[in-house]
Amino acid sequence: MVQRFSVVGGSPARIDGIEKVTGTAKYAADYTLPGMLYGKIKRSPHAYARVLSIDTSKAEALPGVKAVLTYADVPHVKHAGAPVPRTGSLKADQTILTDVARFVGDGIAAVTAVSEEIAEEALELIEVEYEILTPVLSVDAAQQTDAPEIHDTAANIITQPIIMKNGDMEQGFAEADYVFEAVYNTGRPVPCYMEPNACVCQFDQSGKLTIWSSTQGAFMVRGTLSEVLGIPLNKIQVIVEHMGGGFGAKQDLYQHEYVCALLAKKTGRPVKMEYTRKETFLASKTRHPVTVRLKQGVKKDGTVTAREALYLSNTGGYASHGPGVTAVGTIDLTSLYRCNETWDLEGRSVYTNVPMAGAFRGYGAVQGFFALDVQMDELAELLNMDPIEFRLKNAVGEGDISPSGHRLHGDAFADCLRRGAEEVAWVDKWQSPKTKSGRVRSGLGVGTEMHSSGAYPDIKEMSSAVVQLNQDGSVNLMTGVADLGTGAWTAMAQIAAEELGILLADIQVTAGDTDATPFDGGAYASRTTHIGGKATQKAAADLKRKLLTFAAEKLAVDVTELDLKNGRILINNTPSITLKELLKEEGNIPTPALIGEATHYAKVAYSFAAHFAEVDVDTETGQVTVKKVTAVHEIGKAINRIGVEGQIEGGIQQGIGHSLTEDFIMHPETGRPLNPSFVDYKMPLSMDMPPIETVILETQPDLGGPFGAKGVGEDPIIAIGPAIANAVYNAIGVRIRELPITPEKVLQALREKEA
Ligand code: SMO
């Protein structure tokens, strides 16, 4: 039966659209409270240094300065930047301020003053005496036996290595006709959210803390501040009205959130802190630069027989999501392409004295699938097979293992590959690089991925929602899900309206306030629509049951004869009065109040994608230009079509950046960041974007998702990297296994080929 939808699947305008385009939407730094002070953090200029002494007397004496904090003044609780339930992916190794700087930008002291200018001036007056240590700047150096231990862990590995073994490796490689091994490297892109990190903290007389913060996880901020500062959960209110992006990096806390709360407490006045753009580079969470050594055996008929990998990630000065990212990246290599379930995989996340890496859209999968997908391309060539045909031969499908260890249902991945190949006319268009010549050569490449919606089973994934009917027939939806600019709250409203059978305009979303909504873990792991959406759907269904029972009584019909659609009551499928008319009749105000509520516990679900990139490579300048991207995504069901397309296009834009131009670079000896600004760190802007053809497949709806919907947030950034790298190879016949693919690397590779 084809399900007909009224609100779901369309592209209604964002519920917050008008506020955003008129500039009235408030972001954390837009809050200004009476008597408010401004806070700033003094950051280490050294990559690795011990603080011998700090003299704050001059700063404290500066008129307008209200408080100064150093390591000696703050709780020394080690924290992970996130509370339970997220701690499995992190390690508690950070303190609020530090007496050992572990990267250039580590927070040493903080001040608050009546103006930002005075606070900045006061930072200069804080005198710090450092013992400068030799920084450990590469993963190789960090693993040497004589390397200093940045956090007292052997070989600077955060936790135990992640080891995945299955099958008989020796036999797997013995069965192969070819064994191929190569090393793949990814760069260090930065999330570059438009809204810099910011927060405002205020304590009331009862000791209750209110914090307006730019975070993907309001409940994570509440939980972490509670754990670290020792404040009960109900005495912390986190408000996030609007956000200008986070991309994963705003899911754990930053130093300013703790510091701001402590400064507000100490001064008894509200305090605002806002990062400069430079601070969003130094003190943010970059993607983990990863080296993947990957070896696979393959038979002449194209069957992969065994897979061996070492996944080495550089986590920087603190762990943040290093353990989680490394686990995801390593475990992902058990899937996407079959290898006879014969694998030997190891993941290590290593401390170095560079800015922290952490969660960033694509969370380990970007790096792992870059290596795997580029190598699949290399194997296809080795076998003289068409790259699509070879992929289809090994693509995971019905009954195959997924990274979570669960068996997959359906062949959605193959559907993506086939549909994309059709869209780009692969059979006619794809030609071996040997056929290419001339100064500018064009190439066509494919990249693929799969990604889970939510972090189950590593996290017991859940979300709750409350839906309340008002006396006039309008509805309030209380949801804890975060909307970091994705349109998630609009999607929640669509789901509630569809399930209830009322108009979208009659739903008001109450969100972004931990005092006003039930719990949700936050926006991570492409979970929001799939999990928060299902909780919303269930809560709406609960309300609808109660509402129809009430209506049946008023209309003196049996409840089984009733339904509600587009705000109108149907009796035996015949339109009757509207819900609003029913409620208007005297005495029909529901008593007790009609409230639906639900908690949804999610299971595993996977989305898939195949991206096809068409590029031009200028063999004289080394410039790579992406001419067109065709993106096929299997996501179960698009709740908001234009929102899904926006996610896909945005992911491709970020991915083009990571593939070609974006890399945050440290000085090789001092560890000092060389390009912490939008002048020297180049993202693709709208003018740089190629046309994007988006195909949304809904062939494999997930019963655990609302109306079958799965996640799409992270998927598009994962598939685009290998698509571009493979297209570059297809154009010039030289393999570049390292991101970003800069003109320098292209020219170097061409020169080596000629030599
Ligand atoms: S990088 Mo994602 O927010 O798990």
Side-chain angles (χ1 to χ4, degrees):
M1 193 190 86
V2 178
Q3 214 178 342
R4 281 182 210 288
F5 296 104
S6 303
V7 198
V8 152
S11 298
R14 288 270 183 103
I15 57 172
D16 56 359
I18 291 176
E19 287 160 89
K20 284 197 166 168
V21 298
T22 56
T24 53
K26 275 185 147 185
Y27 295 77
D30 292 330
Y31 286 90
T32 297
L33 303 173
M36 193 173 78
L37 303 172
Y38 298 83
K40 285 277 168 195
I41 292 173
K42 186 171 182 74
R43 300 186 178 280
S44 168
H46 309 295
Y48 196 24
R50 202 179 312 278
V51 176
L52 297 176
S53 67
I54 303 189
D55 184 350
T56 60
S57 56
K58 283 184 192 143
E60 278 163 302
L62 183 71
V65 170
K66 298 297 174 189
V68 180
L69 296 175
T70 67
Y71 180 71
D73 309 310
V74 300
H76 293 175
V77 182
K78 287 246 177 100
H79 67 80
V84 176
R86 206 59 173 112
T87 34
S89 313
L90 299 107
K91 188 183 176 198
D93 59 9
Q94 301 173 57
T95 49
I96 298 172
L97 293 167
T98 183
D99 60 347
V100 178
R102 293 181 174 89
F103 63 92
V104 172
D106 209 352
I108 303 298
V111 301
T112 190
V114 295
S115 74
E116 245 183 311
E117 292 73 18
I118 294 174
E120 261 159 27
E121 202 183 327
L123 289 186
E124 299 300 314
L125 297 175
I126 298 173
E127 289 165 4
V128 187
E129 197 192 335
Y130 291 100
E131 178 196 349
I132 300 169
L133 307 168
T134 308
V136 181
L137 295 172
S138 73
V139 166
D140 275 353
Q143 291 186 101
Q144 299 303 316
T145 42
D146 59 345
E149 289 179 359
I150 298 170
H151 284 280
D152 306 321
T153 60
N156 285 304
I157 300 172
I158 297 178
T159 46
Q160 296 299 315
I162 289 125
I163 309 273
M164 301 285 297
K165 280 184 203 271
N166 200 57
D168 186 336
M169 291 302 290
E170 222 169 287
Q171 194 188 322
F173 283 125
E175 275 173 15
D177 292 308
Y178 302 97
V179 174
F180 185 86
E181 181 174 355
V183 175
Y184 305 84
N185 277 291
T186 57
R188 185 188 283 114
V190 175
C192 295
Y193 29 75
M194 285 298 102
E195 182 199 12
N197 306 75
C199 70
V200 176
C201 286
Q202 182 176 41
F203 279 91
D204 73 9
Q205 295 298 314
S206 78
K208 182 186 171 192
L209 168 64
T210 301
I211 171 168
W212 290 262
S213 190
S214 181
T215 176
Q216 288 172 235
F219 287 94
M220 293 211 217
V221 170
R222 188 179 74 155
T224 314
L225 288 177
S226 171
E227 284 177 14
V228 176
L229 303 179
I231 305 171
L233 291 173
N234 67 350
K235 288 282 187 188
I236 303 174
Q237 179 181 16
V238 185
I239 299 174
V240 195
E241 206 163 316
H242 292 284
M243 268 183 86
F247 304 112
K250 283 182 187 164
Q251 68 167 286
D252 41 341
L253 276 76
Y254 286 64
Q255 283 178 312
H256 69 290
E257 286 157 315
Y258 309 96
V259 163
C260 192
L262 290 174
L263 289 170
K265 177 112 192 155
K266 191 165 178 185
T267 58
R269 289 168 67 166
V271 177
K272 182 194 286 190
M273 294 185 77
E274 187 180 9
Y275 279 15
T276 60
R277 181 53 62 185
K278 186 178 174 184
E279 282 179 297
T280 68
F281 278 87
L282 265 54
S284 180
K285 315 283 162 41
T286 73
R287 189 179 300 291
H288 284 79
V290 173
T291 300
V292 184
R293 189 168 54 68
L294 180 62
K295 180 176 161 185
Q296 294 186 94
V298 65
K299 287 191 198 171
K300 279 184 181 146
D301 69 357
T303 313
V304 179
T305 58
R307 183 174 299 146
E308 185 186 290
L310 175 65
Y311 185 106
L312 264 179
S313 75
N314 181 347
T315 206
Y318 297 88
S320 180
H321 280 265
V325 163
T326 306
V328 167
T330 306
I331 295 166
D332 271 354
L333 294 174
T334 60
S335 193
L336 193 63
Y337 292 103
R338 287 188 298 266
C339 59
N340 196 27
E341 294 185 22
T342 305
W343 56 69
D344 182 350
L345 312 170
E346 179 176 345
R348 286 184 221 148
S349 194
V350 177
Y351 289 117
T352 61
N353 294 118
V354 301
M356 295 165 73
F360 185 179
R361 193 180 197 179
Y363 203 89
V366 162
Q367 300 95 322
F369 287 149
F370 173 74
L372 181 56
D373 220 335
V374 171
Q375 186 161 101
M376 291 306 278
D377 225 55
E378 299 190 75
L379 293 180
E381 182 169 49
L382 193 67
L383 296 165
N384 204 16
M385 270 176 91
D386 176 86
I388 298 284
E389 195 191 319
F390 176 60
R391 280 180 175 78
L392 281 170
K393 183 154 179 79
N394 294 288
V396 292
E398 179 67 40
D400 286 321
I401 202 90
S402 72
S404 65
H406 299 81
R407 296 282 159 186
L408 292 164
H409 300 293
D411 292 307
F413 179 31
D415 290 346
C416 291
L417 276 165
R418 285 200 193 95
R419 177 62 185 272
E422 206 179 288
E423 291 287 329
V424 302
W426 179 275
V427 175
D428 299 326
K429 211 170 198 173
W430 190 88
Q431 280 164 359
S432 155
K434 293 182 192 104
T435 64
K436 319 262 165 131
S437 62
R439 174 176 164 176
V440 177
R441 297 176 200 171
S442 50
L444 172 63
V446 60
T448 60
E449 63 89 46
M450 65 192 293
H451 203 60
S452 66
S453 314
Y456 178 85
D458 295 323
I459 296 175
K460 283 200 178 71
E461 286 283 15
M462 57 77 73
S463 183
S464 303
V466 174
V467 188
Q468 178 172 301
L469 180 72
N470 299 312
Q471 290 86 337
D472 61 356
S474 68
V475 163
N476 285 84
L477 162 65
M478 275 72 86
T479 170
V481 305
D483 188 334
L484 50 160
T486 56
W489 292 341
T490 304
M492 296 304 124
Q494 285 178 264
I495 290 165
E498 185 72 53
E499 184 66 31
L500 272 167
I502 65 170
L503 303 178
L504 182 60
D506 286 326
I507 304 264
Q508 176 67 39
V509 178
T510 301
D513 182 342
T514 55
D515 271 13
T517 76
F519 180 89
D520 177 271
Y524 61 83
S526 304
R527 70 189 285 282
T528 299
T529 302
H530 181 67
I531 301 174
K534 191 68 184 180
T536 296
Q537 187 188 14
K538 284 181 170 177
D542 185 40
L543 172 59
K544 189 170 185 178
R545 260 192 308 274
K546 292 171 180 167
L547 175 58
L548 291 183
T549 305
F550 162 81
E553 201 175 297
K554 293 294 154 191
L555 298 169
V557 293
D558 195 87
V559 70
T560 56
E561 295 168 28
L562 280 186
D563 201 359
L564 182 62
K565 259 214 144 93
N566 299 320
R568 188 171 288 278
I569 288 168
L570 304 180
I571 304 175
N572 290 318
N573 287 322
T574 308
S576 170
I577 58 170
T578 65
L579 173 63
K580 289 182 183 182
E581 286 163 352
L582 175 79
L583 293 172
K584 224 177 243 168
E585 284 178 28
E586 213 180 340
N588 282 3
I589 290 174
T591 312
L594 291 180
I595 300 173
E597 56 95 15
T599 294
H600 172 63
Y601 293 91
K603 294 272 189 279
V604 73
Y606 282 92
S607 296
F608 296 87
H611 283 192
F612 293 74
E614 293 167 51
V615 304
D616 274 354
V617 183
D618 185 324
T619 55
E620 264 173 46
T621 63
Q623 179 75 37
V624 176
T625 310
V626 181
K627 305 294 285 182
K628 190 180 177 191
V629 177
T630 303
V632 185
H633 283 255
E634 207 299 322
I635 61 165
K637 175 76 197 164
I639 298 295
N640 187 307
R641 188 156 291 267
I642 203 170
V644 170
E645 286 170 0
Q647 283 296 315
I648 293 170
E649 288 174 15
I652 288 170
Q653 181 163 5
Q654 270 186 319
I656 289 175
H658 300 182
S659 301
L660 299 180
T661 59
E662 293 183 42
D663 202 9
F664 184 31
I665 300 164
M666 308 306 141
H667 187 282
E669 276 135 42
T670 64
R672 223 160 269 174
L674 298 180
N675 55 344
S677 78
F678 284 165
V679 175
D680 297 315
Y681 179 99
K682 298 309 278 182
M683 285 188 288
L685 305 178
S686 55
M687 296 299 285
D688 304 312
M689 287 298 287
I692 295 171
E693 192 85 45
T694 300
V695 180
I696 300 168
L697 298 183
E698 298 173 324
T699 49
Q700 200 183 301
D702 185 78
L703 296 177
F707 306 103
K710 300 182 286 192
V712 71
E714 293 171 279
D715 297 78
I717 206 173
I718 307 171
I720 185 67
I724 291 174
N726 292 333
V728 168
Y729 178 79
N730 183 243
I732 59 172
V734 194
R735 189 60 73 174
I736 299 171
R737 302 189 182 91
E738 185 182 305
L739 297 180
I741 302 172
T742 57
E744 290 82 354
K745 287 179 196 166
V746 171
L747 290 181
Q748 168 99 18
L750 284 169
R751 256 183 247 124
E752 279 167 16
K753 185 193 179 190
E754 276 157 27

